[in-house]
Amino acid sequence: MTAKPSASELFAALNVLIAIDDENGLFDRGAEEGGYRSEELERALIVIRSALGVSD
């Protein structure tokens, strides 16, 4: 079993997700016309952005 990530590693990973989202590349499911975002993903991104102090 691997060790749990540090807080700085977690924040770095969250920043990667936000960077992907900023490029409109973060979706739950693929679709021919751009993909789909669930309400859960939208809420998670709001929480992540708030925690990192990043605006939309």
Side-chain angles (χ1 to χ4, degrees):
M1 180 179 286
T2 61
K4 290 184 180 181
S6 67
S8 62
E9 290 171 322
L10 178 58
F11 276 100
L14 293 173
N15 276 305
V16 168
L17 291 177
I18 293 301
I20 294 169
D21 182 50
D22 286 345
E23 298 294 324
N24 297 318
L26 192 60
F27 298 97
D28 284 317
R29 297 166 186 88
E32 290 181 20
E33 297 181 11
Y36 172 82
R37 283 193 179 182
S38 67
E39 289 181 33
E40 292 85 5
L41 177 57
E42 289 289 346
R43 283 193 302 268
L45 288 169
I46 290 168
V47 170
I48 292 168
R49 285 182 179 280
S50 176
L52 295 176
V54 177
S55 61
D56 289 346

